[in-house]
Every structure is written in C-alpha cells, then in structure tokens.
C-alpha cells in the first residue's frame, strides 16, 4: 500500500508530458483522475498537488459523514449525485476494506413550530429516493438516542461515517496502480501555451500547454482539469478564465465531547434547517476514532487555509472584503453572523445550542476541537452558489481547461458520482 508521504515523484518526472493533468489532490480531484484513467488506460495522466501530502484541506478537515441526500432540491445535481454517491461510497469501501459505520442520523425538531419543516424535509427526501426514511416520535427518538430530546425526528438509518482522507488516499493508490503520476509539492502558478515543443517529445506540439509551479519546474500536457477547492477561482484567473463565482472562505470550529462523555451520542444528531439562515447549524457527529464532534459554527476565515482563530493572510483577507458579493451576503445576515461570532468566542453560548438536543451536556463536558475551512462559492449578488459549476474559456488556453469551480458539500459523499460527471464533461469538451 502506498502512503501519503510516498506520493512525491523524483525530479525526472518533471518536464514530462501528459495527455491530461488534474490540478488538485483532494478527494474530488483524485476521484476524477481515477475515473479518467480507468476509462482511458492508453492515455497519460497526472495529478498535481501543492502540498507535500494529499487530501490536506477540505478533504481532510470535514465531518466524515456519508450523507444520504435528504436536504437537496429534488431534481438538482446535488440531490442526484449525493444519492448515487452514497451508494457508490459504501460499495467502494466494502470492496477496498475501508472501515465505515452506518450509524444513522436523526434530524430532530425540538419545537412544535419546526414540525412542518421537518415533514417537508421528509417529503423532499422521498422525492430524492433516499433509502429507509421515516418520521419518528419523541419516544422513538429516545429509543435510538437515550440522551436526546425532541418532539419529532426524521430518521435516516442509511447515513454513515468514514475517514474521507483514507478514502482519498485509496483513490490515489488506484490511480497510481493504473499508471497515473502524482506530483506533490507542486503549486501551480502559471499556465501558458508552449513556444516550442519539449525536447523529449517526438510529437511536435502534441503537448502544447505548459503548467509551471512556484519553483519554476514545469510539465507539458494537452488538457487540464482543475479541482482546486479553496483556490478554484485563482486557478481560473491564472488560465485567463473568469474568477466568478468567487470563493469566500468560511471557517467552522468544532467542539469535542470529552472521551468519558462520548456515550451520550450514538449516531448523528442534526437540527431542522432554518431557511432564513445560510448554514445548517450545530450538530453532533460521531467519528471513526470514537470521538464526538459538536458544531461547527460558520465565520469568515481571514486566510483560505486558516484553521486557527488568529490565522491571517493579508491577500486572502483583502480578496474577500473588497468583493461586493460578500457585503451583500453580510447585510442580509447580520444578526446570524454576529451570533456565530459570539458562539465562536464563548463556549457557553455554543453549549446552550447543544442543550436543546441533549440537555445533559454541560460546559465541563466539552473541549475546543479541530476546525475546517469551507470553500464557499459566492456570486456578485451575495448568493451562495449551491450547485456544481463547470467553467472553461476561449482562446488557446481556455479551450483546453475545464475548471470545477464549485463542488459543494456533500462533495466527499458524492465524489465517485461527481467523478463520473466530470469525466463525461472532459470527454465531451476535449474529445477523448
């Protein structure tokens, strides 16, 4: 088995030629590269990742939930891909021996006024063909989650948990075993058309696109697919394509239950979504290692990969605050945003939210936990871009690039289904 630290290729791989290069070694990029090479074994493929290891950012800083597809608009890509992706994820993990737990999820109404929204969510889940959904009573809630209180819940036993970084690394192993090259520590800073063919190529200008990194090293290829998450808009700009929609980073801070208190949570416990607010709200999430995460909140991150409260990048901060779309989003959600900041600073405020579901949780039962940063695509009108966005451009470079501009949650759950869609789009655009 290949380890993440072994992905770095020796220097002779650089200045090489590939038919297709995938930029981004997260779970979507790796799944897409795997799908492409399995479909086209006679072509040459490479994955470029700026970090020294794969799946370091969103793919390695998420809740680990295998979502079932309840929340999403019926008929949308998110709904279809999540339902397909969850089935493919379980099947893949079974085939590869990757451990997971199908621990289920309860979406719990704690107030009577939430019941109509909960029932509407149930109907939406049925329209999305989510497996085994049912509404359960307060007594049935306690049978499943003895410490949880609610007036009604939506029970989704098909929901599970997995270590998505382990899944992503398995995709990388499949890709390499099929002949793909993974180049880590390769931060793409430039894309341009070659002025002359690389010396080792006998095919003239068969590989006309030069991809260069921050060290001046370069490779040549025919086509590029970017799956760059938090930097998807920057890579689009580098290639001469539009930066819209912009990526605005939101940090989510988790709390964790102390180990001796983890018995209070058996499966995922989620709130009923409030359509007035842009994010889901705090929830209880068991992990594969036996821990339980609580949260997250959602606050603007001052650095695209800033996982700590005081992480700051002047470039990333200015990039976010000068964007008019962010201010339009903020103006519509001032009270929500201030409450999120307050809860980020004061544990007691976060605990108060958690006690709506499990009254026994106290501030002495919790610790500050890890954080993740979400690549939130935002349009000029301040609307959260809620579905998948593919983009290319015109001209020599733009016509040879496919940008996966937005692969929103639940992208990890949906990764194998998304990969099939991306591979279809690559074949259509590039005539593979």
């Amino acid at each position: 088995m290949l380890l993440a630290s072994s992905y770095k290729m020796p220097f002779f791989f650089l200045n090489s030629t590939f038919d297709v290069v995938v930029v981004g070694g997260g779970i979507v990029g790796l799944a897409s590269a795997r799908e492409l090479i399995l479909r086209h074994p006679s072509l040459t493929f490479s994955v470029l990742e700026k970090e020294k290891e794969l799946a370091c950012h969103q793919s390695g800083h998420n809740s680990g939930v295998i979502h079932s597809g309840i929340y999403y608009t019926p008929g949308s890509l998110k709904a279809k891909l999540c339902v397909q992706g969850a089935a493919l994820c379980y099947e893949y993990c079974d085939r590869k021996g990757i451990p997971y737990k199908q621990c289920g999820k309860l979406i719990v109404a704690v107030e009577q006024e939430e019941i109509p929204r909960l029932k509407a969510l149930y109907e939406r889940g049925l329209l999305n063909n989510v497996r085994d959904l049912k509404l359960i009573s307060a007594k049935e809630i306690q049978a499943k989650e003895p410490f949880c209180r609610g007036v009604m819940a939506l029970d989704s036993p098909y929901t599970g948990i997995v270590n998505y970084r382990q899944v992503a690394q398995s995709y990388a192993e499949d890709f390499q075993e099929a002949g793909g090259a993974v180049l880590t520590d390769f931060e793409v800073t430039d894309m341009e058309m070659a002025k002359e063919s690389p010396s080792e190529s006998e095919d003239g200008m068969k590989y006309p696109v030069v991809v260069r990194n921050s060290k001046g090293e370069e490779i040549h290829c025919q086509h590029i697919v970017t799956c760059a998450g938090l930097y998807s808009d920057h890579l689009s700009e580098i290639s001469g394509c539009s930066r819209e929609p912009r990526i605005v980073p939101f940090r989510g801070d988790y709390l964790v239950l102390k180990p001796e208190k983890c018995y209070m949570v058996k499966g995922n416990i989620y709130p009923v979504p409030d359509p007035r607010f842009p994010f889901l709200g705090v929830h209880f999430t068991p992990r594969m290692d036996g821990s339980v995460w609580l949260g997250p909140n959602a606050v603007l991150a001052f650095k695209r990969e800033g996982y700590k409260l005081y992480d700051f990048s002047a470039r990333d901060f200015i990039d976010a605050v000068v964007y008019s779309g962010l201010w339009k989003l903020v103006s519509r959600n001032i009270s929500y945003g201030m409450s999120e900041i307050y809860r980020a600073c004061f544990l007691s405020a976060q605990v108060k939210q958690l006690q709506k579901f499990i009254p026994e949780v106290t501030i002495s039962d919790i610790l500050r936990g890890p954080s993740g940063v979400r690549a939130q695509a935002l349009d000029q009108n301040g609307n959260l871009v809620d579905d998948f966005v593919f983009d290319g451009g015109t001209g020599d470079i733009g016509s040879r690039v496919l940008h996966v501009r937005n692969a929103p949650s639940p992208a990890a759950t949906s990764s194998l289904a998304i990969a099939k869609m991306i591979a279809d789009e690559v074949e259509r655009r590039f005539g593979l």
Side-chain angles (χ1 to χ4, degrees), residues 12-322:
F12 68 80
F13 268 86
L14 302 179
N15 301 312
S16 290
T17 57
F18 299 96
D19 292 303
V20 179
V21 164
V22 177
V23 181
I27 196 166
V28 173
L30 292 167
S32 301
R34 172 187 176 274
E35 180 69 20
L36 284 164
I37 202 169
L38 292 177
R39 290 190 189 190
H40 302 280
S42 63
L43 300 181
T44 55
F45 295 87
S46 177
V47 170
L48 308 181
E49 167 55 42
K50 72 182 181 67
E51 304 295 349
K52 293 181 179 179
E53 296 185 354
L54 299 172
C56 285
H57 294 295
Q58 291 186 107
S59 303
H61 289 81
N62 59 60
S63 64
V65 176
I66 303 173
H67 292 280
S68 60
I70 298 169
Y71 298 104
Y72 318 116
T73 303
S76 68
L77 274 176
K78 283 182 77 170
K80 293 176 182 177
L81 293 174
C82 183
V83 172
Q84 294 170 10
L88 291 170
C89 183
Y90 283 128
E91 179 186 318
Y92 181 84
C93 289
D94 284 337
R95 191 165 70 249
K96 293 291 183 176
I98 297 172
Y100 64 85
K101 296 177 183 176
Q102 208 163 18
C103 56
K105 173 166 69 177
L106 295 183
I107 302 174
V108 181
V110 295
E111 304 285 351
Q112 289 290 334
E113 65 187 28
E114 294 177 317
I115 289 178
R117 297 205 307 270
L118 186 70
K119 290 181 176 179
L121 205 58
Y122 171 65
E123 295 299 330
R124 175 174 283 197
L126 293 180
L127 289 173
N128 288 340
N129 296 312
V130 176
R131 302 187 188 188
D132 305 324
L133 277 185
K134 61 180 179 178
L135 290 167
I136 62 174
S137 66
K139 186 175 181 180
E140 291 171 305
I141 291 171
Q142 286 198 265
K144 285 183 170 288
E145 293 284 355
F147 292 89
C148 183
R149 300 293 182 271
V151 294
M152 184 179 287
L154 181 53
D155 181 16
S156 173
Y158 193 64
T159 300
I161 56 173
V162 73
N163 182 335
Y164 278 120
R165 193 168 190 190
Q166 185 177 359
V167 174
Q169 289 172 341
S170 182
Y171 293 167
E173 290 162 13
D174 294 345
F175 176 69
Q176 288 187 304
E177 287 168 3
V182 176
L183 304 181
T184 55
D185 198 19
F186 195 108
E187 182 177 1
V188 174
T189 56
D190 190 28
M191 304 175 194
E192 65 178 11
M193 296 301 292
K195 296 177 176 61
E196 58 185 28
S197 61
S199 57
E200 68 270 25
S201 173
E202 298 179 357
D203 299 314
M205 293 300 289
K206 182 180 177 183
Y207 305 100
V209 181
V210 180
V211 181
R212 193 171 291 111
N213 70 8
S214 54
K215 303 173 187 176
E217 299 164 342
E218 61 184 45
I219 62 171
H220 294 246
C221 63
Q222 291 194 58
H223 304 288
I224 302 170
V225 180
T226 71
C227 301
L230 284 157
Y231 288 95
S232 61
D233 54 346
H234 283 328
L235 277 179
S236 182
E237 186 175 37
I238 286 172
S239 72
C241 299
S242 170
R243 279 198 71 183
E244 302 295 333
R246 296 282 191 94
I247 295 298
V248 176
F250 283 88
R251 192 184 73 251
D253 302 312
Y254 285 92
L255 306 176
V256 294
L257 278 178
K258 289 180 177 179
E260 64 270 21
K261 294 293 183 176
C262 288
Y263 67 87
M264 289 194 286
V265 177
K266 296 182 179 298
N268 294 280
I269 302 173
Y270 275 58
V272 179
D274 189 330
R276 295 175 299 168
F277 303 131
F279 298 113
L280 183 60
V282 298
H283 41 274
F284 298 75
T285 304
R287 302 280 293 176
M288 288 300 297
D289 62 5
S291 63
V292 177
W293 288 11
L294 316 171
N297 59 1
V299 295
L300 180 67
F302 297 146
K303 184 179 180 181
R304 290 202 180 207
E305 293 163 355
Y307 300 105
K308 297 178 182 177
L309 180 62
Y310 299 109
D311 283 348
F312 181 81
S313 162
R315 177 188 173 183
D316 291 346
F317 177 72
I318 292 170
D319 198 38
V321 299
V322 300

Side-chain angles (χ1 to χ4, degrees), residues 303-352:
K303 184 179 180 181
R304 290 202 180 207
E305 293 163 355
Y307 300 105
K308 297 178 182 177
L309 180 62
Y310 299 109
D311 283 348
F312 181 81
S313 162
R315 177 188 173 183
D316 291 346
F317 177 72
I318 292 170
D319 198 38
V321 299
V322 300
Y323 184 49
S324 61
L326 174 63
W327 291 109
K328 291 173 183 176
L329 174 69
V330 169
S331 68
R332 294 197 297 265
N333 297 277
I334 289 176
S335 61
Y336 176 82
M338 294 304 295
S339 66
E340 288 293 288
I341 293 170
Y342 182 78
R343 285 198 292 269
C345 296
F346 299 99
L347 288 183
S348 58
Q350 191 89 313
V351 170
K352 189 174 180 180

Side-chain angles (χ1 to χ4, degrees), residues 363-380:
I363 196 166
S364 63
D365 296 331
I366 63 172
L367 301 167
R368 289 197 180 273
S371 298
V373 179
R374 172 178 178 171
Q376 180 59 60
L378 198 64
D379 69 19
Q380 290 179 323

